Amino acid sequence: MATDTGSGAFGRITRFSDVQVYVHATAALSIFFLYLTGLPLTFSEHLGWLFAIFGYGNVVLLHIIAGVALILVGVYYVSYLLLGVLSGRAGIPALPTLEDAREAVQYGKYLGGRAKKPEADKYGWLQKAEVGVIVTELTLISLTGLLLWYRGLFVSPEFRAILGGHEPLADFLLLIARDIHLIFALTFLMGIAFHLYIANVKEKYPFNETMFSGDVSAERAAHHWPAWARKKLGELPGHVETAAPAKKTLAGVTFALLLFFAVVVTATLFAAVFSPLPTRDYLVAVSGDVLTQGVTGVVYFLGLNAAVLMVIGGSAAIIYGISKRLRGEYDV
């Protein structure tokens, strides 16, 4: 796809392969459907309308199917990377290097006005850090999700025998697995919001289609990833494509993002970290009813439903982008 499509004298550069586009879309849809089903299972008081539409059993079943699909995508990624390394065909581009550390330090100096902005390669330090966080959180979410799916393990006589017959400890471990799953799932939701913000606000406002088309204009590559663009083109275009929102729009979206983070963080604390532990009555715990009382209940109702709307919007965008690709609208 690295052909001139009217975007300038330098044309377009292929950034993602066909396989990357479709695997990314599959992973994204799996994650979005996990949230569309997992959020009402956690916050049924605020999101019970989803049960009324789809039915409780169907929501649980779809959550399991989406989880299995995401795990299969993870297995594919790991297998692909290992085969590439073992065959000597390719390394692991997302692994951080010493150069990434230098770039991060220089970027910090740039923000402080003490250095020029570093030239990012195809995957800069921030993107690699984001990938590292995503892999870590999804691994923990997947492992705890499997434990919750096979929660019969915790009540099995064999497992309780290993614990020396301490049934309360088995119950406690199940609750710990549930809370770890919930905590990392909700903090990962903030990561998704941040990723959407970077891709669709900072990189290409208001909608970044690069992950569907697989290519990017040379001018935009020169703006966001100049080191990579120079490798591909040999030189940089004189004009760069920015497509940034107005300052008021950027400030409003940034404020909304921070407010969304605050709602998710506090909801996580009340729903998991400070939630009562039935098997440990002597522990001091804050009641989860805080999420439904008075003004705070309204705030969480709005915030959590905003999260659902974000998930639905993200799912629609993925389906829209992939459908355009399947129709050949990007093959110009």
Side-chain angles (χ1 to χ4, degrees):
M1 289 188 186
T3 58
D4 190 348
T5 60
S7 60
F10 287 84
R12 304 185 71 82
I13 307 173
T14 299
R15 184 162 175 82
F16 302 112
S17 68
D18 292 344
V19 172
Q20 286 176 310
V21 169
Y22 289 115
V23 173
H24 175 272
T26 302
L29 277 178
S30 300
I31 291 170
F32 284 141
F33 276 100
L34 280 170
Y35 281 111
L36 190 59
T37 53
L39 284 171
L41 289 173
T42 305
F43 304 103
S44 57
E45 298 91 347
H46 299 300
L47 303 172
W49 58 272
L50 286 166
F51 294 138
I53 295 175
F54 300 106
Y56 180 84
N58 292 328
V59 169
V60 174
L61 178 61
L62 186 56
H63 192 75
I64 293 173
I65 293 173
V68 171
L70 183 61
I71 291 174
L72 290 176
V73 169
V75 171
Y76 169 81
Y77 269 124
V78 172
S79 302
Y80 178 83
L81 291 173
L82 287 178
L83 287 174
V85 172
L86 293 175
S87 65
R89 173 178 50 81
I92 303 178
L95 283 180
T97 64
L98 186 58
E99 185 60 34
D100 295 317
R102 295 193 186 100
E103 182 186 342
V105 171
Q106 185 177 344
Y107 194 83
K109 292 180 179 179
Y110 159 73
L111 293 177
R114 298 172 52 196
K116 68 175 184 178
K117 186 176 181 179
E119 290 193 348
D121 209 330
K122 184 176 182 179
Y123 301 110
W125 69 272
L126 184 59
Q127 290 168 310
K128 289 186 178 182
E130 191 178 3
V131 168
V133 171
I134 288 173
V135 170
T136 301
E137 292 194 324
L138 284 182
T139 300
L140 289 170
I141 292 170
S142 299
L143 291 175
T144 53
L146 288 172
L147 286 175
L148 293 175
W149 188 11
Y150 293 103
R151 58 187 178 276
L153 166 70
F154 294 92
V155 298
S156 65
E158 294 81 8
F159 183 73
R160 301 206 176 218
I162 293 174
L163 298 177
H166 295 292
E167 294 190 5
L169 179 57
D171 295 334
F172 179 71
L173 291 175
L174 176 60
L175 288 168
I176 290 298
R178 180 205 65 182
D179 284 352
I180 291 175
H181 187 75
L182 177 58
I183 290 168
F184 279 96
L186 289 176
T187 53
F188 185 58
L189 181 61
M190 294 191 295
I192 291 175
F194 179 73
H195 178 69
L196 294 175
Y197 173 79
I198 292 295
N200 298 289
V201 178
K202 299 293 288 182
E203 285 188 10
K204 184 67 181 293
Y205 180 82
F207 182 48
N208 189 350
E209 296 189 71
T210 300
M211 200 61 244
F212 307 119
S213 66
D215 63 5
V216 62
S217 71
E219 289 77 15
R220 188 154 73 91
H223 176 70
H224 292 291
W225 314 282
W228 174 62
R230 187 176 285 107
K231 290 177 183 177
K232 301 292 288 187
L233 302 171
E235 59 177 315
L236 295 182
H239 168 73
V240 295
E241 178 186 329
T242 55
K247 289 185 178 180
K248 288 185 178 180
T249 302
L250 181 60
V253 173
T254 303
F255 176 76
L257 182 69
L258 294 175
L259 184 62
F260 179 76
F261 284 0
V263 169
V264 173
V265 168
T266 53
T268 304
L269 291 174
F270 289 129
V273 181
F274 297 148
S275 62
L277 297 175
T279 57
R280 303 290 290 275
D281 294 332
Y282 56 85
L283 292 179
V284 177
V286 178
S287 172
D289 290 337
V290 173
L291 292 170
T292 60
Q293 293 174 351
V295 176
T296 57
V298 175
V299 171
Y300 289 117
F301 176 84
L302 295 175
L304 293 169
N305 277 275
V308 169
L309 291 177
M310 181 189 76
V311 167
I312 293 175
S315 301
I318 294 290
I319 294 171
Y320 169 75
I322 290 298
S323 65
K324 284 187 67 175
R325 184 182 180 90
L326 291 173
R327 292 195 301 268
E329 295 184 25
Y330 293 120
D331 298 328
V332 182

